[in-house]
Amino acid sequence: MKNSKYEKIADRHKAEENRGKNAIIAFIVGGLIGMLGEGIIEIICHYSHISRTEASTYMIMILIFIASLSTALGFFDKLVTKFKCGILIPITGFAHSMTSAALDYRKEGPIYGLGSNIFKLAGSVILYGVVSAWFFGMIRFLIGGGS
Amino acid sequence: MTFKYNNVYVKETATVAGPYEKDGPLKKYYDKTYTDLYFGENSWEKAEIKSVQDSLNILNKKTTTKKGEIDLLVGGDLLNQISATTYGAIGYSKSFLGIYGACSTSVEGMIIASSLIDAKRIKNAVVTISSHNMSSEKQFRNPTEYGAPKPQSATFTCTGSASMMLTNEKTDIKVESSTIGKIIDYDQNDPNDMGRVMAPAAIDTIKRHLDDLNRKPDYYDLILTGDLGLYGKEIVKDFMMQEYNLDLSDNYNDCGVMVYDLKNQEECLAGGSGPVCSALVNFGYIYDEMKKKKLKKVLLVATGALFSPTMVYQKENIYSIANAISLEVV
């Protein structure tokens, strides 16, 4: 049971969160990263003769590399404080979560440290990503016949 | 549970702080500061151990005591198995008590040491406290380089170590009385708003301390809570006035608010936290002010959130505790 007197007094001294501003920043930055990805695909397609699907794989690798490198160099977390979830939700955030875990746990060795902890944050994304991919795949198969 | 002491005195203190504390307003009160968070070691945990060793060595130098001469060392930190304290304090004293009271550990240690000295079981004791922003982030939250956005109410774990030597030989600063806290559950469960979690514990301990000794808040030149931060501090003031008609507006502050320059150090959000937060302010700045006799009667209320990530994930509340000790210039 909540102590209602305490809750009332504590609510008077709550921190102000600027959710609206955070959401707008995240929306714009997230959009810019999408644009950057699209730009990379266009450049790859323009200069080499590979398909768009293949080009998008290279684009993902490039973004993951940039995010991992800037995590290792120690400034990605500072970018997150500025750009909020705008850079955390795209693939850059996924790479960041794995690299940051790897950096922290490498001191405990390759097995008990890095190996067992690298998916600390990304594990949930992978598990539920695979599960939901299976569900949507099934829906698509049942409705569209898998083609 | 309030005790009075007759023959316990503060002999000396030593403080070691990290780079964020160095940028704060209390910089000149630290004996040693580091410019990066590794302290020349290769892991966060080892860095924290190094800070414990540093503060104990500085304390030895200041008091011209040798390693192994002290009767008892009481200490704790936030790491699992309080490893920073045990690895840092090995060989330092004739006996050792490791304690855990989250961020209330500093005063908990002072109460244990003072009680044993007062009972004439031991002649002197050292209380040593540490925390490290990165090692506690790694243990309690996310990997240290992971940049999860945090709300304004979150606090920032202080880095460093602080030690205090208590003795039965008379000095200028006396340990006057103490109140042991109790575990408080006010149905709070937001680890990003620890001020709100711990404020009820601070309120409970301060109230019981004042009632037990039949004192008013103005008996003290300063009443200091440990790490409630900007918002928790306001809750304590407001609640004390509304519920008990006790006015804390003139002589109350919070170490978490004092340790950083919150206007310019935006990453510190609502203020400092961690066991060493109150210890750095109390053993550094407050001790210095008392030596200069600018402050004569001070009540230190170290507040701790007894926070276990596992229990919060299992949908349990976060409990809190606060221990109080009163220091007086004699």
Side-chain angles (χ1 to χ4, degrees):
Chain A
M1 237 232 359
K2 296 240 181 217
N3 180 321
S4 57
K5 265 183 199 160
Y6 179 73
E7 291 298 312
K8 221 175 98 188
I9 290 174
D11 281 343
R12 270 189 250 164
H13 307 286
K14 255 186 163 169
E16 290 280 318
E17 275 323 310
N18 207 335
R19 283 168 198 273
K21 192 182 147 203
N22 291 354
I24 291 170
I25 294 173
F27 180 78
I28 294 171
V29 176
L32 286 174
I33 290 180
M35 240 172 77
L36 175 72
E38 194 58 35
I40 294 172
I41 294 178
E42 290 298 326
I43 292 169
I44 295 172
C45 285
H46 186 80
Y47 288 104
S48 64
H49 298 285
I50 55 172
S51 71
R52 250 191 99 77
T53 333
E54 242 180 291
S56 68
T57 311
Y58 285 113
M59 176 275 290
I60 287 171
M61 282 162 67
I62 290 168
L63 287 187
I64 287 176
F65 177 76
I66 295 171
S68 296
L69 186 70
S70 50
T71 305
L73 293 176
F75 61 84
F76 196 96
D77 54 336
K78 285 168 189 90
L79 294 180
V80 179
T81 21
K82 256 191 204 128
F83 302 134
K84 318 289 169 193
C85 289
I87 53 171
L88 217 50
I89 299 297
I91 191 84
T92 44
F94 186 80
H96 174 54
S97 75
M98 288 188 63
T99 319
S100 59
L103 282 169
D104 247 7
Y105 289 98
R106 78 198 156 94
K107 298 276 150 47
E108 284 93 303
I111 307 296
Y112 300 111
L114 200 144
S116 51
N117 286 298
I118 194 164
F119 293 108
K120 214 170 189 204
L121 297 166
S124 306
V125 183
I126 293 178
L127 174 67
Y128 298 110
V130 171
V131 171
S132 49
W134 184 85
F135 271 109
F136 286 112
M138 279 307 278
I139 292 168
R140 200 171 137 183
F141 175 72
L142 293 173
I143 294 172
S147 57
Chain B
M1 275 291 165
T2 300
F3 309 129
K4 288 193 103 179
Y5 302 112
N6 293 316
N7 64 332
V8 189
Y9 300 90
V10 181
K11 186 160 188 186
E12 193 52 80
T13 62
T15 48
V16 177
Y20 291 98
E21 294 68 31
K22 193 181 164 214
D23 290 342
L26 303 180
K27 179 188 171 183
K28 64 175 178 188
Y29 299 100
Y30 306 133
D31 296 309
K32 185 174 184 180
T33 51
Y34 282 97
T35 44
D36 81 69
L37 284 162
Y38 274 111
F39 303 173
E41 299 291 327
N42 68 359
S43 79
W44 308 125
E45 292 78 10
K46 285 179 190 166
E48 189 172 341
I49 294 166
K50 174 89 191 309
S51 73
V52 174
Q53 290 165 341
D54 278 349
S55 80
L56 290 175
N57 288 338
I58 293 168
L59 192 66
N60 272 355
K61 228 178 247 171
K62 279 183 165 181
T63 57
T64 58
T65 32
K66 286 193 196 90
K67 221 180 162 182
E69 277 182 3
I70 295 297
D71 284 343
L72 172 71
L73 187 140
V74 194
D77 56 86
L78 283 180
L79 298 183
N80 288 334
Q81 296 87 34
I82 50 168
S83 40
T85 307
T86 48
Y87 280 73
I90 185 168
Y92 183 82
S93 53
K94 291 177 195 162
S95 56
F96 169 75
L97 281 174
I99 54 171
Y100 184 84
C103 313
S104 74
T105 311
S106 61
V107 172
E108 183 182 350
M110 285 168 76
I111 294 174
I112 295 171
S114 302
S115 302
L116 287 167
I117 293 172
D118 195 58
K120 301 195 171 62
R121 304 280 177 208
I122 52 172
K123 288 195 181 96
N124 50 31
V126 167
V127 179
T128 192
I129 303 300
S130 73
S131 58
H132 191 287
N133 182 280
M134 292 297 171
S135 65
S136 49
E137 279 292 309
K138 179 177 167 186
Q139 181 176 304
F140 288 94
R141 296 186 185 94
N142 292 320
T144 51
E145 280 300 328
Y146 189 69
K150 282 184 183 165
Q152 286 301 321
S153 57
T155 45
F156 187 87
T157 310
C158 292
T159 306
S161 171
S163 300
M164 174 184 265
M165 192 181 287
L166 296 168
T167 162
N168 61 2
E169 293 161 29
K170 199 168 178 303
T171 67
D172 284 348
I173 301 167
K174 184 186 173 189
V175 180
E176 193 264 337
S177 60
S178 72
T179 301
I180 301 178
K182 61 179 177 199
I183 304 163
I184 301 280
D185 175 19
Y186 256 49
D187 213 16
Q188 302 296 322
N189 48 25
D190 183 1
N192 279 319
D193 195 354
M194 290 299 200
R196 191 175 175 135
V197 174
M198 295 186 287
I203 292 164
D204 178 79
T205 303
I206 296 172
K207 174 81 170 91
R208 283 193 299 122
H209 179 83
L210 296 174
D211 284 354
D212 287 350
L213 296 170
N214 211 359
R215 287 174 185 167
K216 289 265 171 269
D218 60 15
Y219 175 87
Y220 292 103
D221 296 333
L222 189 60
I223 297 175
L224 267 174
T225 46
D227 52 354
L228 300 180
L230 284 175
Y231 307 99
K233 178 186 162 184
E234 294 306 316
I235 297 175
V236 169
K237 272 203 276 189
D238 200 351
F239 196 92
M240 282 299 220
M241 194 65 208
Q242 297 286 327
E243 280 296 296
Y244 307 126
N245 202 23
L246 294 172
D247 186 9
L248 292 179
S249 53
D250 296 330
N251 59 342
Y252 166 68
N253 211 340
D254 181 70
C255 298
V257 176
M258 294 160 77
V259 75
Y260 296 122
D261 176 6
L262 294 176
K263 282 208 180 91
N264 296 315
Q265 293 181 285
E266 278 178 27
E267 63 275 34
C268 302
L269 298 161
S273 64
V276 91
C277 173
S278 58
L280 281 177
V281 176
N282 296 336
F283 298 4
Y285 170 65
I286 298 298
Y287 177 69
D288 203 74
E289 291 288 283
M290 292 189 86
K291 264 205 313 200
K292 289 182 196 150
K293 299 197 181 356
K294 281 185 190 161
L295 290 171
K296 291 201 169 116
K297 290 173 179 164
V298 180
L299 182 67
L300 311 176
V301 188
T303 41
L306 303 169
F307 166 51
S308 151
T310 310
M311 296 323 294
V312 170
Y313 293 145
Q314 292 181 13
K315 305 267 184 284
E316 292 294 326
N317 292 337
I318 306 173
Y319 297 166
S320 61
I321 191 163
N323 296 305
I325 202 156
S326 139
L327 300 181
E328 287 191 9
V329 175
V330 282

